[in-house]
Amino acid sequence: MKILAFESSCDETAAAVVVDGRDVKSNIVSSQIAIHRLYGGVVPEIASRKHAEVISAITKEALETAGCGFKDIDAVAVTYAPGLIGALLVGVNFAKGLAMSLDVPLVPVHHLRSHIAANYIAHKELEPPFLCLVASGGHSHIVEVRSHTDFCVLGRTRDDAAGEAFDKAARSLGFPYPGGVFIDKAAHEGNAAAVVFPRPKVDGSPFDFSFSGLKTAVINYVHNAEQKGMEINKNDVAASFQQAVVDMLAARLMLAAERTGYKKIAVAGGVAANSGLRERLGADCAQPGYSLYMPPLSLCGDNGAMVGCQGYYEYLAGNTAGLELNACANMEIDSLK
Ligand code: KG4
Ligand code: ZN
């Protein structure tokens, strides 16, 4: 089954052609980062406009790269939640129009479900059930993946997402938006033991995260140094901050694995690209019986291939939509089985 898939939930416009869920024929991503960087973060109104400008062109490119035309498409999948509402609406309306004109099923896809599905593309043998850490710019969840379309959230952030903490810490250090990758690079040159940052826990909820105290600690550290006229070593601060985030993410994930008995572990979302996190989980999952699945860096961030993959499983589960489909800014990953 050949699915044409769209993603426009934030600042990447993406289209892909995916066959039977895991065979990616094309995966075109048009990033708006350079524009939003001027403002230090995503400007929702600009994001929507840019999606509308490029979506037709990237659709054409996705079809051409896949060596097919509209007539070969069996279904259209699209990210419909969660995300920036105006941005989501561009993809949803475009997908609706296409599905209607091609007379093929329309498959709505939850953004976090598709991040998890990036692992199916990279690891052809991977099947649920498994435990997955989903860490992106907007979410940080520990998810029990019971089947391709049945999820249970075991832990979540109570405040900032991990990616958001990376981006805000990076901003205070003077790195461009989005700062996660700059912290990652700087951390390689720094000493992770140089600054002791807090690793907050959530009382009574061992699998939940809280990143806002850590983020504030970095901002305060930088401001205090500025006020005292002291030079800070950016690499050391980046390394110490990253170590704290990685400690929190990995400790909660491995505790959840131990308590639930899952030994198949996966990671997904933009923060899954972090080299410190990948290295740490590689070491943690090196114990007997454990296996670790991570998407390649190219599939960690937002893309259309992951939507095409999850869209296939949603289609098989009967989760298609009519033209009444609407976009939704907020939606739980387990709201639909
Ligand atoms: O999944 P994603 O592309 O978009 C959302 O759904 O939010 O995630 C973007 C987030 C940003 O916060 C970005 O800074 C972070 O992922 N990120 C990283 C790295 N690469 C991207 N964070 C830490 N280390 C990285 N190498
Ligand atoms: Zn994402």
Side-chain angles (χ1 to χ4, degrees), residues 7 9-10 111-112 115 136-137 269-270 300-302 306:
E7 153 62 36
S9 66
C10 190
H111 186 58
L112 298 187
H115 269 302
S136 68
C300 287
D302 294 343
M306 67 186 194

Side-chain angles (χ1 to χ4, degrees), residues 86-324:
L88 287 165
L89 278 168
V90 176
V92 166
N93 284 320
F94 193 82
K96 268 195 215 178
L98 261 185
M100 186 171 73
S101 64
L102 301 177
D103 196 22
V104 297
L106 174 66
V107 188
V109 175
H110 187 284
H111 186 58
L112 298 187
R113 291 186 180 199
S114 67
H115 269 302
I116 295 171
N119 280 291
Y120 301 134
I121 297 170
H123 307 284
K124 304 289 184 231
E125 75 288 4
L126 178 63
E127 294 292 342
F130 57 89
L131 200 62
C132 188
L133 168 70
V134 191
S136 68
H139 299 86
S140 300
H141 283 7
I142 295 175
V143 182
E144 189 185 347
V145 184
R146 294 173 170 169
S147 80
H148 292 105
T149 53
D150 184 5
F151 303 82
C152 178
V153 178
L154 303 182
R156 65 175 67 237
T157 183
R158 293 296 185 94
D159 39 57
D160 293 351
E164 196 179 346
F166 264 104
D167 295 342
K168 289 182 177 159
R171 191 175 179 163
S172 73
L173 289 169
F175 293 121
Y177 171 85
V181 69
F182 293 96
I183 296 246
D184 194 347
K185 277 191 195 132
H188 280 289
E189 312 297 323
N191 171 11
V195 190
V196 181
F197 286 126
R199 286 142 170 81
K201 287 187 173 160
V202 180
D203 268 352
S205 302
F207 309 144
D208 281 357
F209 305 102
S210 168
F211 292 108
S212 79
L214 169 63
K215 171 197 72 184
T216 309
V218 176
I219 294 171
N220 287 346
Y221 180 88
V222 174
H223 285 175
N224 279 339
E226 270 169 13
Q227 279 166 2
K228 291 179 187 157
M230 280 163 48
E231 272 282 307
I232 58 162
N233 182 324
K234 281 193 191 185
N235 295 341
D236 284 352
V237 178
S240 303
F241 164 78
Q242 179 171 295
Q243 186 66 57
V245 177
V246 168
D247 279 351
M248 287 198 278
L249 291 173
R252 307 282 194 287
L253 177 62
M254 296 315 290
L255 181 67
E258 206 182 295
R259 298 258 176 100
T260 55
Y262 280 104
K263 292 195 163 179
K264 231 196 278 181
I265 312 288
V267 209
V271 180
N274 184 264
S275 59
L277 181 65
R278 294 173 85 91
E279 200 178 302
R280 167 69 177 270
L281 291 176
D284 285 354
C285 293
Q287 11 173 355
Y290 278 81
S291 47
L292 175 66
Y293 298 88
M294 301 187 283
L297 297 195
S298 59
L299 291 175
C300 287
D302 294 343
N303 65 85
M306 67 186 194
V307 181
C309 179
Q310 184 61 25
Y312 176 68
Y313 294 107
E314 298 291 350
Y315 174 80
L316 293 183
N319 296 332
T320 55
L323 293 180
E324 74 289 349

Side-chain angles (χ1 to χ4, degrees), residues 30-63:
S30 167
S31 175
Q32 307 175 355
I33 282 177
I35 301 158
H36 298 294
R37 190 164 275 167
L38 300 172
Y39 306 94
V42 178
V43 183
E45 192 52 45
I46 296 178
S48 315
R49 247 183 285 146
K50 290 289 155 192
H51 286 311
E53 273 173 35
V54 303
I55 197 162
S56 298
I58 62 153
T59 303
K60 190 163 173 264
E61 195 178 340
L63 289 169

